[in-house]
Amino acid sequence: MDQSSLNSLLKPKSVAVVGASSQPGKIGYTVIENLIKGGYKGKLYPINPTATEILSLPVVPSVTALPEAVDLAVITVPVKLVAQVVEECGQKGIKALSVITSGFSEVGRKDLEDQMLEIARRYGMCVLGPNIVGTLSNSDELNASFAPFLPFPGKATLITQSGALLIAMDAITYTRKVGFDKMISIGNMADVDFADLITWLDTDPNTSCICLYIEGFKDGRKFIEASRKTKKPIIALKAGVSAHGAAAAASHTGSLAGAVKVYGAAFQQAGVVQASDLNNLFDRTLALSLQPPLRKENLLIITNGGGVGVLATDAAERYGIPLKFAPADVQEELKKHMPAFGSAKNPVDLTGMAGNDWYYESVKFAYAHPWTDGLVVLYCETAMTNPLEIAQAIKKAIDETGVKDHPVVVSMVGGTRCDQAMQWLVENGIPAYPAPDEAMNGMAALREYNNIRQMIADDGDGCDPTGSKISREIIAKARADGRGSLTEIEAKQVFSAYGLPVTETNLSKSEDEAVTLAKKTGFPIVMKVVSPDIIHKSDAGGVKVNIKDEAGVRSAYQTILKNCKAYKADADIRGIAVQEMAPLGTEVIVGSINDPTFGPTVMFGLGGIFVEVLKDVTFRVAPVNKQQVSQMVGEIRSVAILAGARGEAPRDRAALEDLICRYATMVYDLRDEVAETDANPVLVYEEGKGLKVVDARVILKKK
Ligand code: COA
């Protein structure tokens, strides 16, 4: 996307509204009215074939009759007229289009959307929408939308896929006092998408935080790339997190992948902080748009009420924020600003006797002290204090320290006087919340932002794709055979080609051959049916383990054949695999899906009940570097098992991380061919003793 065309879209020097109307209540009327009411200072041209004047502005009869090639055309004509209007805009030399009109791909008319886009591209115009509310910008005094007013001013910018939500959030900015500079409705994203806007907003001096409402991406990887490069905090609320991609899964990994997990992984890799719901989005946006990140762990709470202090402490624990006591010298100094029955621990309780001075002195000292990395100031309304004066004392104290790189958030718990005081704080750059847990949520977002950016800061090394040629030959043979998946032996050959340690497995076509192979492999061995028609081999009675001698091989061979024929009479049985029996180890699962939005995505979890019952698994969009793998392994809930629970020796985590890294490289390298894979189980041994992939599954993409 040519970023200069986004300047025309978002900071237009001239605007035409094509489909402007003189009839109040019509969208074409409201957009003109909003542009006037919003105070737009550029040239404004209503276009309508019959009207002569709309809201005292002279009307231009058609796009072609415009006296100049405007920067932006806002289109509010019905869908059947859009293509013609876009053609005229192109001929006129207009640079950007904001298409409010509905009736395109959202109702199954992708053909109309493609037609519009084709015309726009031919003339080099960018298109926002279609199916949008429009764009709003306080700093440009631009309300090119049918949302009723510009948002409560501030430094966040919203990009939303839901137009209705834009209008609702616009109104909420006033009740919640969370300030926004811009609100952009992105609609069907025929052309301009999240990534394009994020890149543009990164250099917008009026945006300090990018706030997203997302239903789904067209190109997930483009979003990750753009977000990673951004220097500003991005916060995302993802809607529609149920039943995504899991529906038609043929692999274990596929059945465990849901939008929450895959989008969650992508947000992490993109350095994007997440919000859990709309309230949470506002709380977090407020902090992220006004305060620097919490870079280290020393967070101090100052309060005039024990109760709100405890609530904030509980919230800190919920958000994973550690709280510790300040050093003795800090406590000693703080004690000077409270009665004898106050507490200088953490929370610092100034008691209900605290007035403006104690707040001022304690905040100033604590905020300036090198021990303090961040401050949460709480206040309960009392009869002896004036909330606005307390707010002003806090702000004065903060300003006088000259410290700029430590975050501070405030909660003022009380009535309308507190509301007014908090509005004053927000207007003066300090996030303020009516409840202590909301303030702590804001601080948690500042901490998460810091941590997530640090995690992605080091790109680290990935693994080389070594096995491409051999694997593609194996896959081509399977396809020529009319198969949609590889046999276990083929899957292991592919894994092995990418350097994954697999158990030695050979195919026998007769009982005698099975005996010869078993002797070559060395007892004990495992025998398994090889059939493209039997994916779940154990269910079919197609697996025998711990076979210790020749007689056992012969008996297993016959039993497996008998069982599998009984399970599926017409199953195409290619033979019986004779496999090295790996010694017992800690079971883990590694797998992949080819996600519709993000492409190849790798999964890791502990095996057994951890994956079956607890679904304790984690995902990353592939490929992954070694640092990302290390985070991935570290974030499963049952990670302690790998460190050696109940007196067991620690497992070989280095070998495990190497395996996941290679695995992700493999599935990324083969992304055009492979749909889903499982290495399940992988047995991980003691430190230094490596691991073995015991079973392998590769499902091919349908072509
Ligand atoms: N150039 C300029 N104006 C033109 C025109 C042209 N070539 N052809 C027609 N017009 C004028 C019409 O004369 C009319 O003005 P009038 O009121 O003076 O007659 C105006 O454009 C609008 O056309 P109209 O047929 O009255 O449509 P409408 O106002 O009822 O609806 C939309 C138009 C775009 C608002 C409607 O089709 C739509 O898509 N609504 C949904 C919008 C939405 O919800 N967006 C997403 C939210 S998430």
Side-chain angles (χ1 to χ4, degrees):
M1 169 72 46
D2 168 16
Q3 290 281 315
S4 71
S5 64
L6 294 183
N7 289 340
S8 308
L9 176 72
L10 298 167
K11 294 182 88 62
K13 293 194 182 67
S14 47
V15 178
V17 179
V18 192
S21 172
S22 48
Q23 290 183 45
K26 279 199 175 186
I27 286 182
Y29 175 90
T30 307
V31 175
I32 294 287
E33 189 184 33
N34 280 344
L35 280 159
I36 296 169
K37 271 196 329 199
Y40 180 60
K41 301 285 186 298
K43 284 267 183 57
L44 178 55
Y45 301 99
I47 301 184
N48 182 293
T50 51
T52 50
E53 193 185 276
I54 297 174
L55 288 159
S56 306
L57 287 173
V59 171
V60 180
S62 68
V63 172
T64 41
L66 276 168
E68 61 171 316
V70 290
D71 277 347
L72 171 66
V74 180
I75 296 181
T76 63
V77 294
V79 65
K80 60 178 189 306
L81 301 176
V82 170
Q84 177 56 32
V85 162
V86 170
E87 178 72 44
E88 289 172 16
C89 289
Q91 285 170 5
K92 191 74 199 174
I94 290 171
K95 297 179 193 73
L97 307 175
S98 174
V99 184
I100 287 179
T101 311
S102 301
F104 292 87
S105 62
E106 82 282 4
V107 292
R109 294 306 304 270
K110 178 141 188 327
D111 55 325
L112 296 178
E113 204 164 292
D114 289 345
Q115 182 194 19
M116 171 188 70
L117 194 59
E118 185 276 315
I119 302 167
R121 292 239 161 103
R122 191 153 23 92
Y123 291 104
M125 296 182 285
C126 71
V127 180
L128 184 70
N131 187 30
I132 58 171
V133 165
T135 58
L136 301 94
S137 170
N138 267 314
S139 53
D140 301 293
E141 297 173 298
L142 176 85
N143 182 359
S145 82
F146 63 89
F149 35 70
L150 287 166
F152 182 71
K155 299 214 86 182
T157 282
L158 172 74
I159 311 173
T160 167
Q161 245 170 316
S162 160
L165 201 63
L166 182 149
I167 299 177
M169 286 179 74
D170 187 18
I172 296 172
T173 62
Y174 285 89
T175 54
R176 298 283 310 249
K177 304 289 182 282
V178 178
F180 281 77
D181 185 55
K182 297 180 180 59
M183 293 193 148
I184 304 168
S185 170
I186 200 164
N188 298 0
M189 298 191 294
D191 182 27
V192 175
D193 63 14
F194 280 104
D196 299 324
L197 291 173
I198 286 169
T199 304
W200 188 87
L201 290 170
D202 196 27
T203 57
D204 174 28
N206 301 303
T207 297
S208 66
C209 164
I210 303 167
C211 173
L212 310 176
Y213 168 80
I214 300 163
E215 286 170 1
F217 299 126
K218 288 190 174 163
D219 184 346
R221 282 173 187 260
K222 185 178 170 197
F223 170 80
I224 294 177
E225 272 315 301
S227 302
R228 277 177 74 89
K229 287 190 193 134
T230 308
K231 294 172 291 304
K232 294 176 182 171
I234 304 175
I235 173 140
L237 173 60
K238 166 76 179 86
V241 286
S242 49
H244 162 90
S251 69
H252 212 101
T253 305
S255 67
L256 289 162
V260 193
K261 290 197 163 128
V262 178
Y263 267 87
F267 288 141
Q268 260 190 320
Q269 286 170 275
V272 169
V273 176
Q274 292 182 69
S276 54
D277 59 35
L278 209 49
N279 279 332
N280 194 274
L281 183 69
F282 274 106
D283 287 343
R284 297 189 145 217
T285 299
L286 181 62
L288 287 166
S289 64
L290 295 180
Q291 290 291 306
L294 178 65
R295 294 191 175 83
K296 290 192 202 140
E297 296 289 357
N298 291 337
L299 185 68
L300 197 71
I301 302 172
I302 296 179
T303 178
N304 69 342
V308 288
V310 177
L311 288 174
T313 308
D314 290 348
E317 187 172 308
R318 231 181 9 259
Y319 293 113
I321 306 179
L323 285 181
K324 51 186 175 218
F325 296 158
D329 60 323
V330 176
Q331 292 195 30
E332 280 315 307
E333 178 63 31
L334 286 168
K335 277 184 190 159
K336 294 180 189 159
H337 313 297
M338 63 178 70
F341 49 88
S343 168
K345 299 201 164 72
N346 197 5
V348 174
D349 187 355
L350 305 177
T351 80
M353 288 177 67
N356 306 345
D357 291 350
W358 285 355
Y359 265 102
Y360 169 78
E361 297 292 352
S362 57
V363 167
K364 187 170 177 183
F365 169 74
Y367 193 67
H369 197 278
W371 180 84
T372 313
D373 300 316
L375 204 57
V376 177
V377 187
L378 310 176
Y379 163 80
C380 274
E381 195 165 348
T382 68
M384 297 88 74
T385 50
N386 176 327
L388 184 59
E389 286 175 12
I390 296 284
Q392 287 165 339
I394 295 169
K395 166 78 178 150
K396 184 165 180 272
I398 296 287
D399 286 352
E400 284 177 7
T401 62
V403 176
K404 296 240 185 296
D405 55 350
H406 292 168
V408 57
V409 298
V410 172
S411 172
M412 303 191 91
V413 186
T416 45
R417 292 195 311 160
C418 280
D419 289 345
Q420 285 156 5
M422 287 193 289
Q423 176 165 347
W424 184 88
L425 278 172
V426 169
E427 283 167 355
N428 285 281
I430 297 181
Y433 301 84
D437 49 332
E438 290 169 6
M440 200 51 86
N441 183 19
M443 187 56 81
L446 295 167
R447 181 171 176 267
E448 280 170 37
Y449 173 57
N450 179 68
N451 294 353
I452 206 164
R453 294 314 292 193
Q454 272 185 355
M455 283 205 291
I456 63 167
D458 175 10
D459 272 346
D461 292 332
C463 299
D464 294 332
T466 49
S468 211
K469 190 164 175 294
I470 305 172
S471 302
R472 286 176 189 282
E473 282 165 14
I474 295 168
I475 291 168
K477 253 172 55 195
R479 286 203 190 277
D481 201 17
R483 283 185 279 135
S485 60
L486 301 186
T487 64
E488 183 185 336
I489 294 180
E490 290 167 337
K492 281 186 176 163
Q493 284 166 350
V494 170
F495 284 14
S496 184
Y498 284 90
L500 310 179
V502 297
T503 45
E504 186 186 339
T505 308
N506 296 296
L507 180 66
S508 67
K509 299 229 176 212
S510 70
E511 215 177 287
D512 287 343
E513 197 183 357
V515 170
T516 313
L517 289 172
K519 285 181 180 162
K520 200 178 119 223
T521 306
F523 291 105
I525 57 144
V526 175
M527 291 172 68
K528 292 178 182 171
V529 67
V530 177
S531 166
D533 300 325
I534 303 176
I535 292 189
H536 300 287
K537 298 180 279 265
S538 297
D539 296 353
V543 181
K544 293 280 165 208
V545 300
N546 204 15
I547 301 161
K548 295 198 173 99
D549 51 28
E550 179 176 340
V553 174
R554 292 189 185 281
S555 138
Y557 198 96
Q558 286 162 20
T559 314
I560 289 174
L561 281 187
K562 201 171 93 212
N563 288 350
C564 291
K565 282 189 181 140
Y567 180 77
K568 196 167 192 292
D570 60 345
D572 172 12
I573 295 175
R574 305 277 167 106
I576 308 280
V578 174
Q579 185 185 305
E580 158 199 1
M581 184 150 149
L584 290 178
T586 301
E587 277 189 30
V588 306
I589 172 169
V590 180
S592 73
I593 54 159
N594 216 328
D595 183 81
T597 307
F598 296 100
T601 302
V602 69
M603 183 198 80
F604 161 71
L606 280 197
I609 59 157
F610 296 105
V611 62
E612 302 294 343
V613 182
L614 303 174
K615 308 212 179 317
D616 184 16
V617 291
T618 164
F619 287 80
R620 287 290 185 284
V621 176
V624 288
N625 63 42
K626 290 180 179 156
Q627 194 200 349
Q628 287 170 324
V629 176
S630 176
Q631 286 155 11
M632 206 180 162
V633 174
E635 79 192 16
I636 57 164
R637 295 195 300 277
S638 43
V639 65
I641 308 262
L642 290 173
R646 293 182 167 189
E648 280 188 27
R651 305 287 108 182
D652 198 335
R653 190 161 159 172
L656 175 62
E657 291 182 5
D658 183 59
L659 174 107
I660 300 170
C661 188
R662 287 174 193 277
Y663 201 97
T665 301
M666 171 181 77
V667 296
Y668 182 70
D669 193 34
L670 299 175
R671 63 193 178 280
D672 54 326
E673 292 284 2
V674 167
E676 294 172 33
T677 67
D678 284 328
N680 180 30
V682 180
L683 298 178
V684 187
Y685 302 118
E686 287 176 18
E687 235 164 34
K689 296 196 173 153
L691 42 69
K692 273 274 159 86
V693 177
V694 173
D695 201 353
R697 184 174 302 167
V698 172
I699 318 278
L700 299 177
K701 262 186 160 177
K702 288 197 174 67
K703 285 207 169 166

